[in-house]
Amino acid sequence: MDGYFASRLHHQLRGQVRHFAESEVRPLIPAMEAARSVHRDLSRHIARQGWLGATISRDHGGMDVGHLGKTIIIEELSRVSAAMGAMVQASQLGAAKIVHFGSDEQKKTWLPAIAAGECLPTIAVTEPESGGHVLGMSATAVRDGDDYLLNGRKVYVGNSHIGDLHGIVVRTGPGSKGLTAFLVEADRPGLRVGDQKPTMGLHGFGFGELLLHDCRVPAANRLGDEGDGLAVAYSSSVLYGRANLTAVSLGIHRAVLEETTRFCEERHRYGKPLHELPSVKLKLGQIQSRLMTARLAAYHAVHLLDAGLPCDAELMNAKLVNVESALDSARDAMEIHAAAGLFTDRPIERYLRDAHHIFAPAGTSDIQLLRLAEVALGTSKGQWSERLADVVRMEPAL
Ligand SMILES: Cc1cc2nc3c(=O)[nH]c(=O)nc-3n(C[C@H](O)[C@H](O)[C@H](O)COP(=O)(O)OP(=O)(O)OC[C@H]3O[C@@H](n4cnc5c(N)ncnc54)[C@H](O)[C@@H]3O)c2cc1C
């Protein structure tokens, strides 16, 4: 179905990731579900496949497969384990800010290591008192000679517990031009990772706290100029984040359909497969329809992103449609499974729990709707995809 967008090499990439996910990830899911904590070894193993470098150029050791290639990688991992799809997408966000805002020196130092899976980067923007209101952040960096001193607290940072290099956006001044981003190595004195807290789903992935207390960071670790922090945060969230989380939801959605059709074949009622019941068959048709629409929205948006074309509205819509329709389909699937769906020996309840996790990051569905209403009313405040087209455009090597 994705032939309209994808090349032969995209199909090969999909096949490779699917094979890996089935053989290396699926067998570990029961252990991840039982432990309900970050799976460091598997995360490292996945990183070593080179997938964190999806949008890193070949010059820096990356795959250079563009946003569509990145979507396929995340989708296929998430079809088996949304936790591992989320792990990869979070570090791809971390890589993006260096690709787009890093100095030559920073790129040379970090990108080859990220592409090889030896360094897991993160992006830390959210704070407890500001949430999605990025400009409401209060963590600070104050210049001190050749260094900056960073103080504050970041929350919900994807890969906080396994990250090697945190990209932290803080205040260096007032207003929208007062945000600045820094690369902070995980072992730098003054940086502490908060305790791991259990979550509803995405077991195996972690999104926790980073605490900064007089953390001394050389000015050479600043990403871009003072004042570039908002663009770093938005390019990560609005352009990469929406696309990546769309892909996680798409993978979950696909798994929901596959698992539910399998269940309907196996389970018999009134002497016939369950899907012979009209109400069940209608629900299956509904899930299939939602998935096709969601996939189209997802691939269309990243196709525009790869081409460097304006696509903020398409990315918002892709995230909205994919998150909401995966949740709707997971609920329908639970109803088709009835009591059987409540037992954890089947994956369907995991899909529903995991799908809920994709709702908040890179903008809740209400936020996407509000921004889409502004598009309809012609009151949008400009497009980040247009402003950052030169840094985001990819000419994939596929
Ligand atoms: C799985 C996961 C991974 C994440 N990864 C990262 C990461 O790697 N780095 C990072 O920095 N953060 C990350 N986050 C945090 C994520 O970006 C935030 O959850 C998001 O910005 C929303 O913040 P919040 O959850 O505090 O909700 P809030 O922003 O406080 O929102 C609370 C409620 O208010 C509504 N609301 C808020 N503002 C408005 C408004 N202007 N108009 C109308 N309604 C509004 C929301 O829709 C929501 O219903 C992650 C979160 C999750 C769940």
Side-chain angles (χ1 to χ4, degrees):
M1 177 269 152
D2 52 356
Y4 171 54
F5 291 108
S7 70
R8 188 174 52 82
L9 290 167
H10 284 115
H11 288 291
Q12 272 175 13
L13 177 64
R14 184 185 293 287
Q16 278 164 14
V17 183
R18 182 169 291 204
H19 175 73
F20 178 93
E22 289 293 351
S23 57
E24 309 273 329
V25 180
R26 198 180 288 286
L28 299 179
I29 288 175
M32 285 195 280
E33 287 299 307
R36 302 184 64 168
S37 59
V38 174
H39 201 305
R40 289 165 200 274
D41 291 347
L42 182 58
S43 303
R44 294 275 165 196
H45 185 37
I46 291 175
R48 283 195 294 273
Q49 306 310 305
W51 295 326
L52 305 188
T55 56
I56 294 176
S57 72
R58 299 245 162 140
D59 293 349
H60 289 111
M63 295 177 77
D64 206 4
V65 292
H67 296 277
L68 179 56
K70 173 163 63 66
T71 289
I72 289 170
I73 292 168
I74 301 168
E75 177 192 348
E76 285 301 327
L77 283 170
S78 302
R79 174 183 161 272
V80 171
S81 163
M84 289 303 118
M87 184 283 292
V88 164
Q89 74 80 29
S91 274
Q92 287 169 338
L93 299 186
K97 66 187 184 301
I98 304 175
V99 169
H100 301 319
F101 295 92
S103 64
D104 287 347
E105 200 53 40
Q106 288 166 342
K107 287 181 185 173
K108 260 193 281 171
T109 306
W110 297 111
L111 293 181
I114 294 169
E118 289 155 8
C119 170
L120 266 70
T122 74
I123 178 84
V125 177
T126 311
E127 295 187 6
E129 302 308 323
S130 56
H133 179 217
V134 174
L135 287 175
M137 72 168 60
S138 59
T140 54
V142 176
R143 185 89 195 210
D144 184 31
D146 288 340
D147 302 327
Y148 286 84
L149 282 179
L150 272 59
N151 281 285
R153 183 174 160 217
K154 296 289 173 183
V155 292
Y156 313 142
V157 178
N159 291 337
S160 51
H161 289 80
I162 52 171
D164 302 297
L165 182 70
H166 302 293
I168 307 183
V169 182
V170 292
R171 279 218 163 275
T172 44
S176 61
K177 298 215 180 332
L179 301 187
T180 304
F182 294 88
L183 295 172
V184 184
E185 301 87 342
D187 57 359
R188 193 165 274 282
L191 172 74
R192 192 164 66 77
V193 181
D195 293 337
Q196 258 188 64
K197 291 187 191 157
T199 51
M200 172 179 164
L202 292 187
H203 299 145
F205 169 69
F207 50 112
E209 289 189 33
L210 296 181
L211 301 131
L212 296 153
H213 183 71
D214 285 340
C215 181
R216 185 171 286 278
V217 176
N221 281 27
R222 196 183 62 215
L223 262 179
D225 294 325
E226 278 198 19
D228 281 348
L230 190 65
V232 172
Y234 273 117
S235 63
S236 295
S237 166
V238 174
L239 301 181
Y240 275 69
R242 284 178 185 156
N244 288 7
L245 295 155
T246 290
V248 177
S249 287
L250 182 58
I252 297 171
H253 204 161
R254 199 167 189 146
V256 164
L257 179 67
E258 288 175 8
E259 181 61 24
T260 308
T261 47
R262 200 163 29 242
F263 178 77
C264 288
E265 296 281 352
E266 286 166 14
R267 177 139 301 207
H268 283 67
R269 290 291 181 260
Y270 309 98
K272 294 180 190 158
L274 196 61
H275 58 72
E276 294 290 324
L277 291 175
S279 64
V280 170
K281 200 164 194 174
L282 279 177
K283 281 196 174 74
L284 276 182
Q286 185 67 261
I287 298 173
Q288 172 72 32
S289 166
R290 284 193 203 108
L291 178 60
M292 290 171 76
T293 306
R295 189 186 294 140
L296 202 55
Y299 291 175
H300 177 57
V302 288
H303 176 69
L304 294 177
L305 197 55
D306 274 335
L309 293 168
C311 57
D312 282 36
E314 284 79 3
L315 286 164
M316 292 168 203
N317 189 49
K319 167 131 202 288
L320 173 74
V321 166
N322 273 275
V323 165
E324 291 299 325
S325 63
L327 280 165
D328 288 345
S329 292
R331 189 181 160 195
D332 280 347
M334 285 294 291
E335 289 178 8
I336 291 174
H337 280 71
L342 301 169
F343 289 84
T344 56
D345 59 338
R346 292 182 183 277
I348 209 74
E349 56 84 36
R350 169 166 65 91
Y351 299 150
L352 181 64
R353 284 187 285 111
D354 288 352
H356 273 288
H357 284 249
I358 315 307
F359 177 79
T364 60
S365 294
D366 281 350
I367 298 289
Q368 312 299 346
L369 285 170
L370 289 171
R371 298 289 98 85
L372 284 165
E374 288 166 6
V375 172
L377 293 165
T379 55
S380 300
K381 296 186 195 107
Q383 300 215 44
W384 282 97
S385 53
E386 213 161 14
R387 262 182 247 175
L388 298 174
D390 286 341
V391 291
V392 176
R393 181 186 296 116
M394 299 286 302
E395 283 159 21
L398 278 177

